[in-house]
Amino acid sequence: MAEKKVPMRQCTGCRQLKGKKEMIRVLKTADTGEIVIDPTGRKNGRGAYICMNSECLEAAVKNHGLERSFKCSISPEVYERLREEMKSIGQ
């Protein structure tokens, strides 16, 4: 029986490839352009991924990884929401 292929995604913070389910998807919605966290990974829009630890989030803030992925500037409130999400995960 053939093995299923695991979808790999690159973290915008540490730039490492990891499994899609090991990461958090950040989404820029197509209709409003709002940047939100997508816990299901199935919403429509442009997505970027971050590892589930605070070090990668801080690296993404420092190197502007999310801004580069979405090709727009990101407000500090979005980064604060991401930090709260990391705290709720327990990392």
Side-chain angles (χ1 to χ4, degrees), residues 11-14 50-66 76 78-84 86-87 91:
C11 175
T12 57
C14 66
I50 298 179
C51 296
M52 292 188 191
N53 61 42
S54 58
E55 291 86 19
C56 286
L57 176 60
E58 295 308 319
V61 172
K62 185 176 179 182
N63 68 17
H64 304 284
L66 290 174
V78 173
Y79 289 121
E80 193 57 40
R81 277 189 287 159
L82 286 171
R83 287 182 185 103
E84 292 298 320
M86 294 288 181
K87 288 178 186 176
Q91 296 288 326

Side-chain angles (χ1 to χ4, degrees), residues 26-36 43-47 70:
V26 181
L27 175 77
K28 180 179 178 185
T29 58
D31 51 352
T32 62
E34 183 182 7
I35 296 176
V36 296
K43 292 182 181 177
N44 290 333
R46 174 96 177 145
F70 296 136

